[in-house]
Amino acid sequence: MEVRREKEMWLVRLEKGEKVKETLAEFAREHYVKGAKLSAIGAVDWAELAYFDEEKQAYENKTFSGGLEVLNLAGNISWVDDETPMVHLHATLGKEDYNVVGGHLNEALVSVTIEAFVLQTEAISRQVPFGPFKLWHLG
């Protein structure tokens, strides 16, 4: 991971072999980023995505592998408690056949790089219970 800061914006470059959410959580912990909006592009070897089935009230997970172009990662960073950052991301991934898949990103493995732009906010993050999952609210 390579990190550079420009005022409230952090530029975070993930390297081949790093796990996306795990590495971004490590970044948040190391640099005390308590609240942020995040967007990124790049490429991954595999990704596990989730889709929330409202009828079943549960997430359904699916893994995709092979070279995947990260067309967009969007989400936020907040904290569960004083020691545990929460990286919440949604992903749009392009496949070799030019089809696209997307959903809630559980985790992914960087194949070439991920270039993330993290806009830090002064808002205090807190956990709000909402149905079968947690909704993260800034404010």
Side-chain angles (χ1 to χ4, degrees), residues 1-17:
M1 169 178 46
E2 182 182 334
V3 177
R4 188 172 79 202
R5 185 171 185 175
E6 296 179 3
K7 298 184 181 179
E8 292 84 25
M9 178 72 73
W10 292 87
L11 307 173
V12 183
R13 183 179 181 273
L14 281 62
E15 299 173 6
K16 182 179 179 79

Side-chain angles (χ1 to χ4, degrees), residues 114-127:
I114 292 288
E115 298 167 340
F117 300 90
V118 181
L119 180 60
Q120 191 167 348
T121 177
E122 295 299 320
I124 298 170
S125 301
R126 67 180 186 271
Q127 185 179 22

Side-chain angles (χ1 to χ4, degrees), residues 33 37 51 55 58 64 82 84 90 92-93 110 119 134 136:
V33 176
K37 175 184 175 188
Y51 176 81
E55 200 170 289
F64 299 89
D82 289 338
T84 312
H90 287 210
T92 307
L93 307 173
V110 178
L119 180 60
K134 306 291 184 196
W136 294 90

Side-chain angles (χ1 to χ4, degrees), residues 11-114:
L11 307 173
V12 183
R13 183 179 181 273
L14 281 62
E15 299 173 6
K16 182 179 179 79
E18 292 182 309
K19 289 184 177 178
V20 174
K21 288 180 64 174
E22 180 180 295
T23 304
L24 290 170
E26 178 185 325
F27 153 77
R29 221 178 350 267
E30 287 178 6
H31 297 280
Y32 308 106
V33 176
K34 294 293 184 182
K37 175 184 175 188
L38 188 148
S39 66
I41 57 172
V44 296
D45 282 325
W46 64 263
E48 182 181 84
L49 301 179
Y51 176 81
F52 186 73
D53 185 321
E54 290 184 49
E55 200 170 289
K56 294 179 182 176
Q57 292 291 294
Y59 279 100
E60 294 183 9
N61 300 321
K62 188 168 184 178
T63 301
F64 299 89
S65 59
L68 299 163
E69 190 81 21
V70 177
L71 306 174
N72 185 49
L73 281 179
N76 60 48
I77 296 172
S78 58
W79 287 66
V80 176
D81 54 40
D82 289 338
E83 298 176 12
T84 312
M86 168 75 168
V87 178
H88 180 196
L89 294 172
H90 287 210
T92 307
L93 307 173
K95 296 170 26 177
E96 182 180 2
D97 62 5
Y98 292 92
N99 283 315
V100 175
V101 295
H104 175 84
L105 183 72
N106 287 338
E107 190 54 278
L109 185 68
V110 178
S111 64
V112 179
T113 188
I114 292 288

